[in-house]
Amino acid sequence: MAKTRPLAARRRPSALADYVGQVHVLGPGKPLREAIERGDLHSFILWGPPGTGKTTLARLSAHQANAEFVQISAVMAGVKDIRDVVARASQERGMGRATVLFVDEVHRFNKAQQDAFLPYVEDGTLIFIGATTENPSFEVNSALLSRARVYKLQPLSDDELSRIVRAALAAEFTDVTVSDDALSQLVASADGDARRALGQLELAVDLASAENGSTTITETTIEEITRGLARRFDKGGEAFYDQISALHKSVRGSDPDATLYWFARMMDGGCDPFYVARRAIRMATEDIGNADPRALELALNAWQVQERLGSPEGELAIAQALVYMACAAKSNAVYEAYKAAQQAVAEGGSLEVPMHLRNAPTPLMKDSGYGDNYRYPHDEPEGYAAGVDYLPESLTGLRFYRPVDRGLELKVRQKLEHLRALDKNAVDGPSS
């Protein structure tokens, strides 16, 4: 008889002792493990990447508690489906049996769906277990979060995936052999995802059987079925923001190697190169600034190369800009100065422009004092009108921009210190 169920479904553990991974939440003495073993379940959300055992753990939890297990998808289910589940759960409760409502992709639940079952979670009619690949802090409503504990599941390690694959071989494919190198290659390509590892194993077995009747899975077989597979990246979810954060912080931390790694990871996962190019401009202005103004120029150039030539030339130009920025002198002085200026504007209201700074295009404005006593810097010694204030009167002497002592800003700092000394001499007179 043909095996119509996928290998991953056939190999789903039926007992907690067979569950592989997530020791940080299921190890001896951990609260979730103790609750499951006692059959004393609470509502919880399982948050983790695909193939880390979220659905399996939910099923095992319900089985251990001898509870009815009902699975719905947040994408497919409507309010009517939830009401039907509640009706069944009420009947089970009347017979002394609990019901676990497992909601896959719970981050897609809308408010109406949540409102339909939340009261029944509160009164104990339902034990709610949700599964999500997205950060619940951003994707799940606070009302639901307050009623469920969150457990973060981690990608499976290579050792854990190897155990799963070897167990599947021993149970399902006793006449198939896999070299150690091929197994390592398969595990690495699974990227912490047990479902992907088992799916690739199943494909490899089929392909190996078709090659001259051979029952040996080789590295060539694995390479054939894994060609083009992307690493974990969701183009908008938590993995996306984690990786762009790592890239930005690697540039800020002056680590060109980590910078290249995270850039390559994002490109490998299918990230839009223009997004990284835009972020490179942010890095150049936020973290480098006037310590090395060439960084902004390179970032803009890289964007133009990507726009005009596309891949791979554009990606290489972005990589060049990122590496340059990682190695460049760093300063966030302009970034901090701009924030301080914004705060001063927000707190100060509509302060008047000083009269000497106003334009006077008409006789009336001139007669009213507009532009009086303005000193033209180009006519002054060193091209600087020492002692002149350019801020509103109530803000005179306020300093937003404080250059650092690195890169070009060291020269800028020295220049400003010299000009401040000229201002002091103009107001106080030369020191004796």
Side-chain angles (χ1 to χ4, degrees), residues 2 13 28 40 44 105 112 117 127-128 172 175 203 217 231 233 262 292 297 323:
D40 184 18
F44 58 87
E105 297 188 89
F117 80 86
I127 298 169
F128 163 71
E172 303 259 350
D175 58 339
L203 286 173
I217 296 176
R231 258 54 63 189
F233 191 80
W262 291 116
D292 191 342
E297 183 179 354
V323 168

Side-chain angles (χ1 to χ4, degrees), residues 44 46 54-59 69-74 85 99-105 127-132:
F44 58 87
L46 299 171
K54 297 184 293 294
T55 301
T56 297
L57 186 53
R59 288 180 175 274
F69 182 81
V70 181
Q71 178 174 349
I72 63 174
S73 169
V85 172
T99 297
V100 168
L101 172 62
F102 175 64
V103 182
D104 198 13
E105 297 188 89
I127 298 169
F128 163 71
I129 301 178
T132 179

Side-chain angles (χ1 to χ4, degrees), residues 70-283:
V70 181
Q71 178 174 349
I72 63 174
S73 169
V75 177
M76 305 295 294
V79 172
K80 181 181 181 300
D81 299 295
I82 297 170
R83 287 174 179 162
D84 290 343
V85 172
V86 169
R88 288 168 52 192
S90 297
Q91 292 178 350
E92 292 289 338
R93 190 182 189 189
M95 295 183 288
R97 192 180 188 204
T99 297
V100 168
L101 172 62
F102 175 64
V103 182
D104 198 13
E105 297 188 89
V106 67
H107 58 278
R108 298 184 184 273
F109 245 13
N110 61 40
K111 187 176 184 301
Q113 290 169 309
Q114 293 182 38
D115 289 345
F117 80 86
L118 280 176
Y120 303 99
V121 174
E122 289 183 331
D123 69 12
T125 302
L126 295 171
I127 298 169
F128 163 71
I129 301 178
T132 179
T133 56
E134 303 294 339
N135 189 329
S137 301
F138 304 126
E139 303 293 343
V140 178
N141 289 351
S142 57
L144 187 55
L145 279 177
S146 68
R147 292 162 174 81
R149 184 168 179 179
V150 176
Y151 295 101
K152 179 78 164 69
L153 304 192
Q154 303 293 342
L156 298 183
S157 69
D158 286 355
D159 287 342
E160 290 165 343
L161 286 176
S162 294
R163 286 168 53 195
I164 291 171
V165 171
R166 290 186 185 280
L169 283 167
E172 303 259 350
F173 307 110
T174 55
D175 58 339
V176 175
T177 59
V178 183
S179 69
D180 289 341
D181 289 340
L183 179 62
S184 297
Q185 189 175 354
L186 184 149
V187 165
S189 68
D191 201 26
D193 184 333
R195 189 184 302 111
R196 179 189 282 192
L198 292 172
Q200 290 173 181
L201 174 62
E202 197 165 27
L203 286 173
V205 169
D206 291 341
L207 187 60
S209 298
E211 292 178 348
N212 302 319
S214 171
T215 56
T216 299
I217 296 176
T218 64
E219 292 177 76
T220 302
T221 309
I222 301 301
E223 183 177 348
E224 183 68 27
I225 65 173
T226 59
R227 186 179 296 120
L229 284 177
R231 258 54 63 189
R232 210 165 35 251
F233 191 80
D234 50 10
K235 302 184 184 180
E238 192 194 14
F240 175 89
Y241 292 109
D242 282 349
Q243 289 180 30
I244 192 61
S245 176
L247 173 60
H248 194 146
K249 288 170 181 171
S250 297
V251 170
R252 181 184 295 152
S254 301
D255 188 332
D257 302 301
T259 294
L260 284 173
Y261 172 80
W262 291 116
F263 176 56
R265 276 285 300 274
M266 296 187 77
M267 292 302 97
D268 178 77
C271 178
D272 181 1
F274 286 107
Y275 175 82
V276 180
R278 289 193 296 272
R279 283 300 294 253
I281 291 171
R282 175 65 181 255
M283 298 171 202

